[in-house]
Amino acid sequence: MSQVLADLRYAKSHEWARSLPDGRIEVGITDHAQHALGDLVFVDVPPVGTALAIGGACAVVESVKAASDVYSPVAGTVVEVNASLSGSPELINEDCYGKGWLYRVQPASSSGLDALLDASAYSAVLAAEGG
Amino acid sequence: MGRKTPLHDLHVAQGARMVDFGGWDMPVNYGSQIEEHHHVRRDAGMFDVSHMCVVDLRGAATRAFLLRLVANDVGKLRIAGKALYSCMLNATGGVIDDLIVYFLTESHFRIVVNAGTRDHDLAWMRRCAADWGLDVEILERDDLAMIAVQGPRARTAVAALLAPEDRERALLLEPFFGIECGAWFVARTGYTGEDGFEVVIPAVEVESVWRALSAAGVASCGLGARDTLRLEAGMNLYGNDMDETRHPLESGLAWTVAFEPLERDFVGRAALEAIRQSGGSPMKLVGLLLEDRGVLRSHQKVVVPGVGEGEVTSGTFSPTLERSIAFARVPRATGETVQVDIRGKLLAARVVKLPFVRHGRALISL
């Protein structure tokens, strides 16, 4: 059973978003996503300064098996990327909600996360997908 | 739901992630595909390859049949147990399938063909036998299962399960030979670039054999690791690297075509000779090592500046080299460097001699 953290918000396309105390939002892929992809070997994140729209393809995560697009769960501007992933993409498999975060954005509006799923709604999505 | 091998329920119980492969429900991994890959390179791993089709050919005309059916020369098979890798071609030289032929006795040859092509292969073989007026019994052995046990410790792990009188015979097998051990058939062949055995076993016994190998520390490995291992080993995958529209000379398989003896009239010979007489195949299959960061995948476009274009046929991340590697079909004049279009970016790749890895060691410089 995939891990779903209670304090995060989720997109149906298996990204998570976390509100940081300074107002920025941290983004990553969920436990379900990393498990489905298998061993990650390459991550391509958007450079700092990139403007992201909700639902836009913004990053690529590649496992041994396949490449998969990451869709931005929030609108905003990329202010920081996880530089560790370039040498250690396996951090996403090992700790997808922690050390495996992808990028942080300055959100375009303060209500950015309200449209996303909460943990119980995302768990229902996973249950409906059979995983 | 796809077809299931006799080990299906055990794979699921072992936590395998199952995927469709050529109409079969097969394990892609049991956890970490990369760890499974390393187990094979460093110790021993096993693969359920029961989806592949064992076909027994019997009758006095079997050798004559195979001399025409396949592009490699079955006349080379003179010692009982000897195996030969070959392609079965159509009249235009396209590859219907790649297969292994084992010579057991003059009236009994065994071949192993791919899962996705089995029905087509069997129909083709039966039609050829009828057209040529050769009386050959073509028997699909659905009662058999097959496990590939690969890695430096693989042969001793399998030998420990054999009857004492068979153990020594099995361990004395030269590469590309097989022997019957009671109801089992043990061959020193594989698809990983490591030493090992492929073991054909009555389907009713296979679960206990898998459990015994597990107990001996042989790691269960899925099709994911099988693919990265065969790519590192420079071995083609049917459907990716060749198919009915591609001939062996543009698929890195010229070494499997025997033009000698000249009088052997195998299917596809005339088409391949026409290509040779016209100056050779305009395309060739090469190994690529990605110099930039990223992962090569099948169907990515290869750009050869000043020469033309080609295509990646198989690509992956190599766990042994920790770099991305691929096979690509490129123009014959391609030199040492190419570019690969990965999501709109042209990344640099180096053309390298295959294989990338053999017996646990990198054979190319990084």
Side-chain angles (χ1 to χ4, degrees):
Chain A
M1 195 62 204
S2 299
Q3 190 187 19
V4 177
L5 299 190
D7 58 336
L8 302 181
R9 293 297 190 112
Y10 299 89
K12 274 185 190 166
S13 46
H14 308 293
E15 294 85 10
W16 57 259
R18 171 186 282 133
S19 286
L20 299 175
D22 59 7
R24 295 180 305 162
I25 293 169
E26 188 172 80
V27 173
I29 65 168
T30 66
D31 188 43
H32 171 85
Q34 71 79 18
H35 189 65
L37 282 162
D39 294 321
L40 287 164
V41 295
F42 176 71
V43 181
D44 198 8
V45 289
V48 168
T50 307
L52 303 178
I54 290 182
C58 64
V60 175
V61 286
E62 295 208 34
S63 68
V64 192
K65 275 187 288 189
S68 180
D69 285 318
V70 175
Y71 301 96
S72 187
V74 289
T77 303
V78 178
V79 290
E80 192 178 352
V81 299
N82 186 351
S84 306
L85 295 180
S86 140
S88 302
E90 69 277 8
L91 288 173
I92 295 175
N93 295 115
E94 291 163 5
D95 187 12
C96 67
Y97 296 120
K99 289 178 182 151
W101 62 279
L102 294 176
Y103 59 86
R104 292 171 179 155
V105 298
Q106 190 64 51
S109 82
S110 56
S111 59
L113 296 190
D114 291 351
L116 294 171
L117 306 172
D118 63 15
S120 66
Y122 179 62
S123 296
V125 168
L126 294 181
E129 284 187 15
Chain B
M1 288 303 275
R3 299 176 71 172
K4 293 178 170 62
T5 77
L7 289 168
H8 177 274
D9 293 352
L10 186 54
H11 297 320
V12 173
Q14 285 194 338
R17 175 172 288 268
M18 306 298 285
V19 295
D20 173 74
F21 182 82
W24 291 72
D25 231 7
M26 298 299 291
V28 65
N29 63 57
Y30 301 79
S32 167
Q33 173 177 337
I34 290 178
E35 280 173 28
E36 291 167 19
H37 179 107
H38 291 319
H39 267 289
V40 172
R41 288 270 178 257
R42 296 167 186 169
D43 184 39
M46 58 182 165
F47 305 84
D48 178 13
V49 287
S50 305
H51 59 310
M52 297 187 75
C53 183
V54 177
V55 183
D56 279 338
L57 305 178
R58 290 179 187 272
T62 302
R63 186 186 290 271
F65 173 68
L66 287 170
L67 283 167
R68 288 181 72 173
L69 186 76
V70 301
N72 210 338
D73 180 16
V74 169
K76 294 174 190 169
L77 299 178
R78 287 291 158 197
I79 303 172
K82 180 81 178 116
L84 184 74
Y85 174 73
S86 184
C87 290
M88 180 163 72
L89 305 180
N90 60 29
T92 60
V95 181
I96 293 172
D97 204 0
D98 64 333
L99 51 86
I100 289 186
V101 185
Y102 296 95
F103 167 46
L104 300 180
T105 71
E106 203 48 49
S107 60
H108 181 196
F109 288 69
R110 169 169 283 178
I111 67 177
V112 179
V113 304
N114 283 303
T117 46
R118 59 193 287 162
D119 296 338
H120 184 52
D121 290 354
L122 286 161
W124 173 262
M125 286 188 272
R126 291 190 171 115
R127 205 176 87 205
C128 286
D131 286 354
W132 302 335
L134 293 174
D135 185 18
V136 178
E137 183 194 8
I138 299 171
L139 185 64
E140 198 179 348
R141 295 295 304 270
D142 281 335
D143 56 319
L144 299 177
M146 183 155 47
I147 303 176
V149 189
Q150 302 277 294
R153 199 169 60 84
R155 287 163 62 233
T156 52
V158 172
L161 305 183
L162 297 174
E165 63 270 23
D166 291 325
R167 204 169 290 158
E168 192 180 354
R169 292 166 63 225
L171 288 173
L172 286 173
L173 278 175
E174 295 288 326
F176 250 68
F177 275 88
I179 46 166
E180 288 179 285
C181 298
W184 295 21
F185 181 72
V186 176
R188 196 172 171 189
T189 50
Y191 192 47
T192 61
E194 297 302 322
D195 205 346
F197 284 143
E198 291 180 301
V199 192
V200 179
I201 311 164
V204 291
E205 283 182 55
V206 70
E207 187 172 327
S208 68
V209 174
W210 187 273
R211 287 185 191 279
L213 289 167
S214 278
V218 178
S220 300
C221 300
L223 293 179
R226 189 168 163 81
D227 192 53
T228 51
L229 287 158
R230 69 92 190 169
L231 247 163
E232 287 185 351
M235 295 171 170
N236 287 29
L237 173 64
Y238 189 80
N240 273 46
D241 307 311
M242 70 288 198
D243 58 31
E244 288 209 55
T245 70
R246 296 293 181 178
H247 56 73
L249 309 182
E250 60 184 343
S251 306
L253 294 171
W255 65 277
T256 72
V257 180
F259 288 101
E260 305 274 342
L262 293 173
E263 64 275 16
R264 189 175 67 92
D265 183 24
F266 62 87
V267 180
R269 177 173 192 126
L272 297 188
E273 282 189 344
I275 292 163
R276 292 218 296 178
Q277 279 155 19
S278 70
S281 167
M283 302 294 279
K284 62 181 179 181
L285 196 79
V286 297
L288 295 184
L289 174 72
L290 188 64
E291 302 278 20
D292 289 319
R293 291 179 62 249
V295 185
L296 298 165
R297 305 280 182 193
S298 57
H299 305 303
Q300 286 167 347
K301 186 168 77 176
V302 178
V303 177
V304 192
V307 176
E309 290 184 353
E311 188 178 77
V312 172
T313 57
S314 289
T316 193
F317 172 82
S318 158
T320 303
L321 305 177
E322 298 189 314
R323 295 275 291 276
S324 182
I325 59 172
F327 304 152
R329 185 171 284 110
V330 295
R332 189 172 51 192
T334 300
E336 290 177 3
T337 57
V338 301
Q339 295 172 319
V340 182
D341 185 336
I342 301 184
R343 290 183 293 274
K345 289 183 206 159
L346 286 178
L347 303 184
R350 173 152 48 101
V351 175
V352 297
K353 190 170 179 296
L354 296 171
F356 300 96
V357 176
R358 185 59 50 99
H359 296 140
R361 286 184 29 243
L363 297 189
I364 58 161
S365 58
L366 297 178

